Amino acid sequence: MKHRTKALVAVVCALALTGAFALVGCSGSSSSSSSSSSAASSSQAASSSSQKVELQIFAANSLEKALPEVQALYTQKHPNVTFSDTQFKASGDLVAQLQSGASADAFIAASTSSMDSASKNGSIDDSTRADMFLNDLVVCASQNSGITISSVEDLGTSSDINSIAIGEPNTVPAGKYAVQSLETAGLCTTTTDADGKISVTYNDSVANKMNDGADKVGTVASYVKQGQCDVGFVYSSDIYRYDGIQAILTVPANYHKAIKYPGAVCTSSKNAETAKDFLNFCTTDPEAQQIFAKYGFELA
Amino acid sequence: MTQDTLRMRFGAVLGNERRARKGIVMMLVCACVVALLAGMAAPHQALAATTGTLLASDGTPLVASTVSADTDGNVALAEKSDAALLSSASYGIDSFIRQNKGTNKTYNDAYYGYRWTEAGEGAFSVVVGDSFAIVHIPQATADALGIDIADAKFQQDFLTTLVAIDRAAADGGKELGKLSLTYYFTTSDTVTHGDYTYQFDVQLEPGYYYTTCTLAESDDGRTGAQYMESGQVKLAADTVVKEKATGLAALGAFFQKLDWSPLWVSLRTTLVAIAVIFILGLFAAWWTMRVNDRVKGILDTIFTIPMVLPPTVCGFLLLLLFGSSTAVGRWFIAHGLNIVFTWPAAVIACIVVGFPLMYRTVRGAFEALDPMMLDAARTLGWSEGKIFGRLMMPLAWPSIAAGTVLAFARAMGEFGCTLFFAGNYVGITQTIPIAIYFDWMGGQTDVALFWVIVVILISFAVILFINVYSSHSQRYRKRLGE
């Protein structure tokens, strides 16, 4: 009996120690890695090619397939630079994440206004900001759906379309462009409050069809691909990113604000020089251009 | 040259009467066009533009190809859609790229038109316009491979291969096979079409070639083409086509590509969390037993509330507590505790949501113990520590084990709080449940399905273990009772 108690105490102690060590160990490692990366940046001015650098990029969700290929290309050409898990979310979410203290080296947004918010929050270095890509807005349907429309206005009248997916207009830039297009087509009205938050009132012709809650543009593509919605507003580049969907209409460019992807180095970056070089690489390297063009991104 | 072409076309269509008839009609049409153009001659370029004729750099009109792609052709396609070979053809396509967009961007401050990258030196380019497609094969490439670009057999084979690889690379975009286009084969490096000028093999820096499109008096040539494709023509023997693996090989390729990190992250996070939960849960349950009823009520509420709250609320509260958006969070960060979106955050999220299950189960078991027995131990002079270790723990052990397993399962399945507080970082905070969601959202249904199976297997193993273990401990208790 006594033996058993001792064993039990030993097990409890061991578990406690494991937990304590694990927690201490990981916090220790994270602080040491941050100190080593700051050392990297300080010596970077002296020798830029030998120090190991890991870049953390925050990028618009639509870049989810193209950017990793370009990152692999960059690592191939600059073996000392690697990329930690790049965050591909709605631009608005990334702005919020940067504001709440997440550290990143560079941010690529899918709209000028998202980058403006990041700039207002002091998350990015304005001097490094530049437009990187252009994109088009399209209405997509699943392949073989047979749905055809010839204008955005047709969304209100087509009997084949029972549900229309768009991104949440306040966080998802593609959703915001979609609302602008619907407003131009006379299918909704919007009001913007003092904080810049958009509220949308849909006309009766589409009010019952709208699904405007998708958390990122990729979710809209998934909804359409899997048949939860008949059509959705996505970028023309999303057509190449997702299997099983096709563009049935390219929304005329004068229906919405120009779709530009600005990029900038973040103020929290400890590898600002490398981050800047990577952003520059994306828009000037011919092989990078080849990858972006494959996925439907036009260099700005 | 035109006569040669016609004779060759005749030869190619001799075998098929219907096609021969069609060929003759087409030939007549061609002859008319050629005669008309000969009458116009070079000075009338403005007129040629309105009729939409494509002209080579020396002013001669391009010859429209009369062949059509054979859609039933047996074309082997590479998995990455970068190579294709028609079984009956003498030439294949290699290093194929599809450029859905070009760019109007200047190069070293000079404007070259709307430009697309080509697949390398000597590569062919296909510019897809609204009703025509220009297939440009550099003269040097044609000479080196002995290709006569006007040869109908070559054109037929090339188009069949091109249409097949274009369909494979389209990914939901436009397809050559579905557009009604007239194909023009040329070796001329410049082709004009009205106000549009197409240039091929424009070398802007050593080793990199571009196809460009300029619109007269404009700095935007994007309307000149829908998209562009490029690749290398190779002898059939030199064309390597890596086809997609099937069966067991495909399964092997799947596992080779699979990133196992979500499993390790899940196990590491959950094991550390469960160790902490075990100790904190026991201690909290023991402690609440020993305080007066009012304090007990308050403590009980605090310890249980994470179980009742939605996990996203827990995540949000943790984010407020530790993030830089609140004064408390900034104080923590200033004192070296910057854990938002790191692995410790994932562990804390698991602890917060798993702890109440452990605490409630253990407290229930402790309360069910006979208080007379505990008092009897006290009259024998046992210390509280001894009573806990030698009386309460062994008697409540099955419930403690059950609580641990419940908390383990809850921590393993944690999603909302972790995503909020620790984010989705592959290899650091991306646990299996988060991987499932993002794989599915990212269109990788097969990977998501794999992780679902893994989770089911782990859950099954845990339940099996606990059943075996409890039957074992019940036997022990029975023996004690005897």
Side-chain angles (χ1 to χ4, degrees):
Chain A
M1 194 68 184
K2 193 167 185 179
H3 192 72
R4 195 182 143 78
T5 316
K6 263 189 188 162
L8 200 70
V9 169
V11 166
V12 169
C13 287
L15 283 174
L17 279 175
T18 320
F21 274 126
L23 279 172
V24 169
C26 61
S27 62
S29 71
S30 68
S31 67
S32 71
S33 72
S34 66
S35 67
S36 69
S37 60
S38 69
S41 72
S42 60
S43 62
Q44 205 175 16
S47 65
S48 60
S49 61
S50 57
Q51 289 293 329
K52 284 217 178 306
V53 177
E54 190 180 54
L55 290 182
Q56 171 71 64
I57 311 286
F58 279 15
N61 178 254
S62 42
L63 288 160
E64 194 171 19
K65 283 230 170 123
L67 198 60
E69 286 190 29
V70 176
Q71 288 173 340
L73 182 71
Y74 190 79
T75 300
Q76 198 186 323
K77 294 191 175 181
H78 305 85
N80 62 317
V81 182
T82 53
F83 294 87
S84 57
D85 180 37
T86 304
Q87 296 296 293
F88 296 104
K89 292 187 187 170
S91 300
D93 287 343
L94 291 172
V95 171
Q97 205 165 323
L98 284 172
Q99 192 190 9
S100 67
S103 69
D105 293 304
F107 174 42
I108 305 174
S111 76
T112 312
S113 59
S114 299
M115 194 54 102
D116 290 343
S117 317
S119 168
K120 209 169 68 187
N121 297 338
S123 305
I124 59 147
D125 176 357
D126 286 325
S127 68
T128 59
R129 178 174 170 169
D131 287 339
M132 297 176 72
F133 312 111
L134 305 175
N135 215 336
D136 303 320
L137 192 69
V138 299
V139 177
C140 71
S142 74
Q143 272 169 355
N144 320 321
S145 71
I147 298 174
T148 53
I149 53 169
S150 53
S151 67
V152 180
E153 286 80 355
D154 286 357
L155 290 173
T157 52
S158 170
S159 56
D160 292 337
I161 299 170
N162 296 313
S163 49
I164 304 166
I166 67 171
E168 204 287 312
N170 285 298
T171 54
V172 185
K176 200 183 63 189
Y177 296 126
V179 165
Q180 288 168 358
S181 306
L182 290 169
E183 194 170 16
T184 310
L187 294 174
C188 72
T189 53
T190 61
T191 52
T192 310
D193 70 10
D195 298 333
K197 191 170 159 42
I198 305 166
S199 319
V200 190
T201 315
Y202 296 103
N203 283 10
D204 291 343
S205 59
V206 290
N208 299 329
K209 302 177 181 177
M210 294 307 299
N211 175 345
D212 62 358
D215 64 337
K216 52 187 187 284
V217 66
T219 309
V220 176
S222 290
Y223 284 165
V224 174
K225 178 188 167 184
Q226 277 146 16
Q228 281 137 302
C229 291
D230 294 332
V231 295
F233 280 84
V234 298
Y235 298 120
S236 62
S237 62
D238 293 311
I239 302 294
Y240 309 115
R241 180 158 72 105
Y242 281 86
D243 294 334
I245 58 171
Q246 62 179 359
I248 56 169
L249 174 77
T250 303
V251 180
N254 58 359
Y255 271 54
H256 53 75
K257 285 188 184 163
I259 304 177
K260 287 181 187 163
Y261 285 60
V265 175
C266 297
T267 41
S268 59
S269 173
K270 295 189 174 74
N271 309 300
E273 279 307 308
T274 315
K276 201 177 165 188
D277 185 63
F278 172 69
L279 293 182
N280 187 44
F281 173 87
C282 286
T283 54
T284 55
D285 186 85
E287 289 172 54
Q289 182 193 339
Q290 212 169 77
I291 295 168
F292 284 122
K294 178 173 79 176
Y295 287 105
F297 291 97
E298 180 172 334
L299 298 185
Chain B
M1 178 216 153
T2 322
Q3 274 188 352
D4 277 359
T5 322
L6 297 178
R7 201 178 306 135
M8 244 172 310
R9 210 166 285 145
F10 233 131
V13 296
L14 268 179
N16 185 323
E17 213 186 341
R18 213 174 62 108
R19 279 217 335 237
R21 237 192 341 259
K22 200 173 150 195
I24 290 166
V25 173
M26 287 304 289
M27 197 183 69
L28 285 172
V29 170
C30 280
C32 289
V33 170
V34 170
L36 244 141
L37 286 167
M40 286 172 189
H44 299 281
Q45 257 197 23
L47 192 65
T50 50
T51 54
T53 312
L54 286 97
L55 300 170
S57 51
D58 58 1
T60 55
L62 302 189
V63 181
S65 173
T66 54
V67 300
S68 60
D70 175 9
T71 46
D72 297 328
N74 181 16
V75 181
L77 287 165
E79 186 184 5
K80 289 182 188 162
S81 309
D82 58 354
L85 182 61
L86 174 67
S87 56
S88 60
S90 331
Y91 302 97
I93 292 177
D94 204 344
S95 314
F96 182 81
I97 52 168
R98 180 182 162 118
Q99 303 277 280
N100 290 303
K101 289 280 173 73
T103 179
N104 275 313
K105 203 176 158 71
T106 55
Y107 182 82
N108 284 345
D109 296 327
Y111 180 65
Y112 290 90
Y114 192 71
R115 57 192 166 92
W116 303 266
T117 51
E118 291 181 6
E121 189 174 3
F124 72 84
S125 306
V126 181
V127 171
V128 184
D130 47 6
S131 62
F132 62 88
I134 306 168
V135 180
H136 173 261
I137 295 173
Q139 188 67 54
T141 307
D143 291 346
L145 295 171
I147 297 170
D148 174 8
I149 61 153
D151 176 36
K153 159 97 165 79
F154 169 74
Q155 292 191 352
Q156 164 95 59
D157 288 351
F158 186 83
L159 285 184
T160 302
T161 317
L162 181 70
V163 166
I165 196 170
D166 168 77
R167 191 190 312 125
D171 273 336
K174 288 170 178 156
E175 294 175 23
L176 290 177
K178 288 182 184 168
L179 298 166
S180 53
L181 302 167
T182 312
Y183 291 88
Y184 294 88
F185 283 77
T186 183
T187 53
S188 170
D189 284 345
T190 306
V191 172
T192 52
H193 178 244
D195 291 337
Y196 291 101
T197 305
Y198 303 93
Q199 282 188 288
F200 302 95
D201 299 343
V202 180
Q203 189 174 205
L204 295 185
E205 58 188 293
Y208 294 107
Y209 299 83
Y210 295 85
T211 294
T212 66
C213 172
T214 44
L215 175 60
E217 288 157 27
S218 163
D219 55 1
D220 181 3
R222 84 183 73 200
T223 45
Q226 305 189 49
Y227 63 96
M228 177 271 195
E229 293 177 327
S230 182
Q232 299 282 0
V233 192
K234 287 269 177 73
L235 286 171
D238 296 341
T239 312
V240 183
V241 179
K242 268 194 199 157
E243 287 188 77
K244 198 177 167 159
T246 51
L248 271 182
L251 199 67
F254 173 80
F255 280 110
Q256 210 163 21
K257 268 200 309 191
L258 187 73
D259 178 11
W260 286 93
S261 70
L263 179 64
W264 308 130
V265 172
S266 263
L267 287 179
R268 202 166 46 191
T269 311
T270 316
L271 285 176
V272 173
I274 204 67
V276 178
I277 290 171
F278 184 84
I279 295 156
L280 285 182
L282 280 181
F283 179 73
W286 180 64
W287 191 37
T288 44
M289 294 269 298
R290 297 163 51 79
V291 293
N292 68 49
D293 278 354
R294 189 173 297 162
V295 181
K296 190 179 185 172
I298 296 167
L299 283 179
D300 194 55
T301 312
I302 295 172
F303 289 155
T304 314
I305 202 151
M307 191 164 84
V308 188
L309 286 176
T312 44
V313 173
C314 298
F316 189 71
L317 291 174
L318 285 170
L319 205 54
L320 286 182
L321 189 61
F322 291 102
S324 63
S325 56
T326 60
V328 193
R330 280 193 292 273
W331 186 85
F332 274 124
I333 291 168
H335 290 75
L337 200 69
N338 189 359
I339 57 166
V340 176
F341 302 127
T342 62
W343 183 68
V347 177
I348 289 173
C350 285
I351 292 172
V352 167
V353 298
F355 168 80
L357 285 163
M358 179 73 187
Y359 160 76
R360 298 286 314 180
T361 322
V362 174
R363 212 198 72 181
F366 281 173
E367 277 173 351
L369 295 179
D370 186 355
M372 302 279 278
M373 189 162 58
L374 301 182
D375 285 340
R378 288 189 186 104
T379 61
L380 290 171
W382 282 25
S383 68
E384 290 300 320
K386 193 174 176 184
I387 293 172
F388 178 76
R390 295 191 47 188
L391 207 56
M392 293 168 79
M393 281 285 281
L395 287 173
W397 186 245
S399 295
I400 293 171
T404 311
V405 170
L406 280 177
F408 179 86
R410 182 68 190 81
M412 190 95 184
E414 173 43 35
F415 177 81
C417 187
T418 310
L419 191 58
F420 233 102
F421 186 42
N424 166 39
Y425 291 82
V426 173
I428 303 166
T429 64
Q430 194 194 58
T431 56
I432 296 178
I434 293 175
I436 290 173
Y437 178 73
F438 282 94
D439 285 336
W440 178 73
M441 273 297 170
Q444 291 180 287
T445 320
D446 49 348
V447 181
L449 197 64
F450 170 77
W451 287 123
V452 166
I453 293 169
V454 168
V455 167
I456 292 173
L457 288 180
I458 293 178
S459 310
F460 186 78
V462 168
I463 294 168
L464 194 71
F465 169 79
I466 214 65
N467 283 345
V468 168
Y469 179 80
S470 70
S471 72
H472 177 81
S473 67
Q474 292 296 348
R475 219 182 306 142
Y476 172 73
R477 273 160 64 91
K478 249 182 232 158
R479 209 165 57 224
L480 260 189
E482 276 161 11

